[in-house]
Each structure stands twice: as C-alpha cells, then as structure tokens.
Amino acid sequence: GGSEHSKRSKRPRLLYYNPYVHKSSKEVNILLFYDSVKETGDSAEYELYVMDKHGNNTSSNQRSAAQSIAFVTKNRFAVLTSDGEIILKNMDNISKKKMKIAERNVNYVFEGGLNRLILRSAEFMTLFDCKSRQIIRELQIATRFPVKFVHWDAPHYQRCALLAKFSVMICDAELNDICTIYENAK
C-alpha cells in the first residue's frame, strides 16, 4: 500500500559502523538509522546489515522501530524504544536484555565505549554501564540545546566531544568535563 511505499522511500539519516569489530574479523556490522516523518506519521527506524569481508549481506535487513541506536560491543547494539526502554540486541537482531533507567526520561542513546552508553535526557548526559546496569557518571547540561552528536577518539576511547547547536564539550572516558566551548549566537 501507500504507507509501505512511503517507508521505503525514506532516506537514511545516520550510518553507524561497529567500532568494536576488529580488522581481522570476518564480518562487518552497519546500522542505518531513518528519521521519523511527521507528515506521514512514520516512526524512526533502523536496519542492521551484517556482511562478510567480501561485502555479501548475511542479514535480513528488516526495518525495526527505534528512537535511537548505538553499538555496545562487537556482537551487541542498543535500541532505545519510544517508551524509553533500552533493548540490547545481538547481530541477528534478537533482543537479549531489556533495561529501563529509573528517574531518567531518556530520549537518545549514544555510543559510550565498550559495554557503555551515553544516555541523553532533558537535563543530563549519563554514562551508563550496560553490563552492571549502573550509572557511572552524570553530567548536567547547561544549554537549552540538546547534544546532537557524540564523537569518540576511537579506538582508544579516552576522550569524547559532545556537540550541541552552540557548544562543544570535551570529556574524558568517564564523562568528566575537560572544557566547554560556546559559540555566541548572532
């Protein structure tokens, strides 16, 4: 039908390459993320691609709903659902663990290093350990503009940059603020 065509015509917004897969590995993992479309009411979705070193796709490529996604390990990725639940899935796109972070209305997940996620809520960026299900550190965000991207110094994961509309915050691996740079809006 018409809605199926509109979903297929959506363009991917982000491409994530699994940084935890070693170069000697026999496979490559990629997540494509598609934004929600307000006009059609389509929700945000992702597609998982698992390919061998020759580029042969070994995955089903079915689209699944997600508010955001991030790789956690070489064989796991996190999916944030529309109700704020975090689901860890394997490379067959099968749910392995479900988590809900109490007292935080998580609206986005970012890669946070091996077995970790950075969770965005209205006022905080939270470093979360997926194995122990513990909050490692919370960083209060002073800006009214949310963090849009987190970029790590892979493969070392010693520092990251949190990018918002008018600021860049440099943090260490434990999400301690090293420095913040603000751009004045004109």
Side-chain angles (χ1 to χ4, degrees), residues 6-84:
S6 68
K7 283 185 179 180
R8 283 286 161 209
S9 65
K10 252 200 273 190
R11 292 190 178 145
R13 168 112 163 99
L14 298 166
L15 179 143
Y16 299 99
Y17 177 85
N18 191 341
Y20 307 112
V21 174
H22 298 287
K23 291 180 181 169
S24 61
S25 176
K26 293 181 178 156
E27 70 178 29
V28 174
N29 312 126
I30 293 174
L31 287 167
L32 282 179
F33 183 72
Y34 299 81
D35 271 343
S36 58
V37 179
K38 288 179 185 168
E39 296 79 28
T40 62
D42 289 341
S43 61
E45 301 170 309
Y46 72 91
E47 276 181 313
L48 170 66
Y49 289 87
V50 179
M51 295 173 280
D52 64 23
K53 283 292 186 180
H54 304 289
N56 299 315
N57 187 7
T58 60
S59 55
S60 66
N61 303 115
Q62 293 176 319
R63 289 195 189 181
S64 302
Q67 194 166 326
S68 64
I69 50 175
F71 283 106
V72 178
T73 66
K74 71 177 182 175
N75 54 11
R76 294 271 192 275
F77 65 99
V79 174
L80 177 65
T81 64
S82 58
D83 64 355

Side-chain angles (χ1 to χ4, degrees), residues 79-93:
V79 174
L80 177 65
T81 64
S82 58
D83 64 355
E85 189 174 52
I86 297 168
I87 302 172
L88 295 185
K89 294 188 171 192
N90 66 12
M91 291 306 148
D92 293 322
N93 207 16

Side-chain angles (χ1 to χ4, degrees), residues 64-124:
S64 302
Q67 194 166 326
S68 64
I69 50 175
F71 283 106
V72 178
T73 66
K74 71 177 182 175
N75 54 11
R76 294 271 192 275
F77 65 99
V79 174
L80 177 65
T81 64
S82 58
D83 64 355
E85 189 174 52
I86 297 168
I87 302 172
L88 295 185
K89 294 188 171 192
N90 66 12
M91 291 306 148
D92 293 322
N93 207 16
I94 296 170
S95 298
K96 291 297 181 181
K97 190 187 282 187
K98 293 182 179 186
M99 301 173 281
K100 185 87 171 172
I101 314 307
E103 293 121 28
R104 286 287 170 261
N105 187 13
V106 177
N107 58 34
Y108 211 88
V109 295
F110 298 97
E111 183 186 332
L114 189 61
N115 278 314
R116 293 176 168 189
L117 289 169
I118 294 179
L119 313 174
R120 183 182 74 190
S121 56
E123 296 178 18
F124 293 95

